[in-house]
Amino acid sequence: MSESTEFEYVGFWLRVWATLIDTVLMMIVIFPILFAIYGREELASGVTLSGSANILVSYILPVIVVIVFWNARQATPGKMAIGATIVDAKTGGKPSLQQNLIRYAGYFVSTIPFCLGLIWVGIDKRKQGWHDKLAGTVVVRRKNRGTEPVKFGE
């Protein structure tokens, strides 16, 4: 196994931040669509939306968007904002479509038992959640990617 001094694993709190960014962006897309379909009164009533339109917009659309981003950019917008990418754990290369599909399905495995599979990112030495382990992926970013360090006296 080769080591990289150029990259570091992305830990729990940065990944939480990326997820929050993705969630807000997804809400910005989904709510106007649902508003256009159901109208203000039905959305405001708090009634659980049912039907094929809600299933398509609230469940299938997010899956498609996430998988497309993972395949095209190796990251969602939230991960891009923190400079993170998803890579194959063995090669460091781009994950396959199959790995991305397994990774997405792995989110369900990770969240069902009290989100333990997601919390696992915080204790794993490679910062892998269960979804990463199932798919054979890791989330990395370049080390020292910040701005120029402060220098005094020059």
Side-chain angles (χ1 to χ4, degrees):
M1 176 167 27
S2 66
E3 275 190 35
S4 172
T5 57
E6 189 178 348
F7 295 96
E8 63 187 357
Y9 297 116
V10 180
F12 180 79
W13 290 112
L14 276 175
R15 288 172 71 168
V16 167
W17 182 241
T19 300
L20 289 173
I21 293 169
D22 289 335
T23 301
V24 168
L25 292 173
M26 196 66 76
M27 288 171 41
I28 289 170
V29 171
I30 289 174
F31 281 149
I33 296 170
L34 291 176
F35 182 82
I37 294 168
Y38 292 101
R40 181 173 24 156
E41 289 77 27
E42 194 165 346
L43 286 175
S45 70
V47 174
T48 302
L49 302 175
S50 60
S52 58
N54 185 47
I55 292 169
L56 181 65
V57 173
S58 297
Y59 298 99
I60 296 173
L61 177 64
V63 172
I64 293 168
V65 168
V66 168
I67 297 297
V68 165
F69 267 105
W70 285 352
N71 276 323
R73 304 294 301 269
Q74 292 178 252
T76 56
K79 281 190 177 52
M80 286 186 255
I82 65 166
T85 56
I86 303 163
V87 298
D88 181 275
K90 290 181 183 167
T91 66
K94 183 177 180 177
S96 67
L97 175 60
Q98 181 178 353
Q99 282 177 293
N100 287 331
L101 292 170
I102 292 169
R103 189 173 194 274
Y104 196 93
Y107 278 133
F108 296 100
V109 174
S110 295
T111 57
I112 289 171
F114 308 107
C115 294
L116 288 175
L118 301 176
I119 295 168
W120 200 259
V121 171
I123 59 175
D124 188 79
K125 68 178 181 176
R126 295 179 76 193
K127 306 301 180 193
Q128 287 178 296
W130 294 352
H131 54 288
D132 290 309
K133 291 185 179 295
L134 288 168
T137 59
V138 291
V139 179
V140 298
R141 71 180 189 160
R142 291 198 179 282
K143 280 186 176 180
N144 304 319
R145 58 181 204 80
T147 59
E148 181 70 23
V150 175
K151 296 178 184 170
F152 295 104
E154 288 187 15

